Amino acid sequence: MLVLGIETTCDETAAAVVERTDEGAGRILSNIVLSQNDEHADFGGVVPEIAARAHVEVIDRIVAQAMREADVRFADLDGVAAAAGPGLIGGVIVGLTTAKAIALVENKPLMAVNHLEAHALTARLTDKIDFPYCLFLASGGHTQVLAVRGVGDYVRLGTTMDDAIGEAFDKTAKLLGLGYPGGPQVEKEAAKGNATRFALPRPMQHRKEPDFSLSGLKTALRLEAEAIAPLSDDDVADLCASFQQAVVDVVQDRLRAGLKVFAARYGAPNALVAAGGVAANKPIRDTLQTLAGEAGIALVLPPLQLCTDNGAMIAWAGAERLALGLTDKFDVAPKARWPLDEVAAARGRKLNTAAYK
Ligand code: KG4
Ligand code: ZN
């Protein structure tokens, strides 16, 4: 089946066409992502109203480009999917309304996909892995450890009490006068610095539940920086290195706890899977490799362009849902908040009423 997917929940306007075979294999026919980084750079973060307006301006062009590159007509599609949340509501409305319009005019099923669900299912598009698996989702807006047990069957094992990891990277970059988005800049500076110069805390260490907290670490970093300001280039590099090492240690400790909780509840997972922009960070990727090795399971790291926000993950999640008959009505509402455990799943057996006449 062929599905068009649209993503507009944050600062990427994205559309893609993905094919899913009856056996569950995936193929990306096109994947167009337009990032609004330049629009938000002056503010050091995403400005919701600017994001919504930017989505409106480019969405038609991005969808047309995705269809053209895939060499597919709307009539060829089996369904249309859009991220219906969670996210910045102005942007979500743009993407979902566009998908509804196309589905309505072309008389195709609509799939209102949860953005986090799409991150969670991407590893099945790239690596065709079986359920259940343990997902570490770390982006600018989310930090969660999830048990992915089936399409629509997600259990959140842990989350952050305050900042998302990507958000902490972004704020650290802003504090130190580096650019936006901050993650890649902090990683670059950290590579030149001394990670042991500043003694920063590792919040939540050794707790049983795999929850995160980053505000104490951020405060400690700010106090160290204030104490030595104005900062030299070496100071900035050392602060970045010390911060990143603390985050790496936190990720290792918290995910180790997560894998333990997973195994106790559901048995060994088939894989450890990473998603979200933070999975681009090399030291964090190395740590995930160590953890998977310890647990004796595979590590699935989708290619970077599929770890960050994109349309292919939405199209794929839509295809996985469509294959199970999980479509949505046209009055489905966009949602700013939409926890994964509130995503509808196919439960029990489908009735075959056509055969019972
Ligand atoms: O998944 P994503 O593209 O967008 C959402 O937030 O949904 O993730 C973006 C986040 C930003 O906070 C960015 O700073 C962070 O991922 N990030 C990184 C790196 N690359 C991106 N964080 C640490 N190291 C990186 N190399
Ligand atoms: Zn995302």
Side-chain angles (χ1 to χ4, degrees), residues 229-252:
L231 306 177
S232 69
D233 289 353
D234 282 348
D235 292 337
V236 170
D238 293 346
L239 285 163
C240 285
S242 301
F243 169 80
Q244 182 173 270
Q245 188 56 50
V247 173
V248 165
D249 291 348
V250 164
V251 167
Q252 184 161 71

Side-chain angles (χ1 to χ4, degrees), residues 138-143 160 162-170 214 218 278:
S139 68
H142 306 278
T143 298
T160 178
D162 35 65
D163 285 29
I165 294 180
E167 190 180 1
F169 269 96
D170 292 337
L214 294 152
K218 268 172 35 209
V278 175

Side-chain angles (χ1 to χ4, degrees), residues 37-197:
N37 279 345
D38 291 348
E39 278 89 335
H40 303 288
D42 287 350
F43 305 94
V46 179
V47 184
E49 180 59 24
I50 293 178
R53 286 170 190 234
H55 288 305
V56 172
E57 278 168 23
V58 298
I59 186 73
D60 289 354
R61 176 162 67 77
I62 297 296
V63 168
Q65 195 179 340
M67 297 298 290
R68 198 168 51 241
E69 281 197 14
D71 199 14
V72 162
R73 293 164 307 153
F74 286 131
D76 301 329
L77 296 171
D78 294 287
V80 183
L88 302 172
I89 196 68
V92 178
I93 290 170
V94 174
L96 183 58
T97 308
T98 304
K100 282 181 182 178
I102 296 168
L104 199 62
V105 169
E106 299 291 332
N107 197 20
K108 305 287 180 187
L110 172 75
M111 284 78 70
V113 167
N114 180 300
H115 176 91
L116 303 176
E117 168 176 46
H119 276 304
L121 295 175
T122 302
R124 286 168 55 78
L125 163 64
T126 56
D127 291 72
K128 206 169 177 288
I129 56 169
D130 290 328
F131 301 116
Y133 51 89
C134 183
L135 179 78
F136 174 52
L137 171 60
S139 68
H142 306 278
T143 298
Q144 304 190 353
V145 182
L146 294 156
V148 181
R149 306 174 65 210
V151 175
D153 189 355
Y154 316 103
V155 181
R156 199 175 72 188
L157 304 177
T159 187
T160 178
M161 302 289 141
D162 35 65
D163 285 29
I165 294 180
E167 190 180 1
F169 269 96
D170 292 337
K171 287 180 180 169
T172 297
K174 198 171 176 179
L175 173 78
L176 301 177
L178 305 171
Y180 172 83
Q185 314 274 350
V186 171
E187 181 176 0
K188 207 168 111 211
E189 290 297 320
K192 298 181 265 177
N194 172 5
T196 58
R197 176 164 160 206

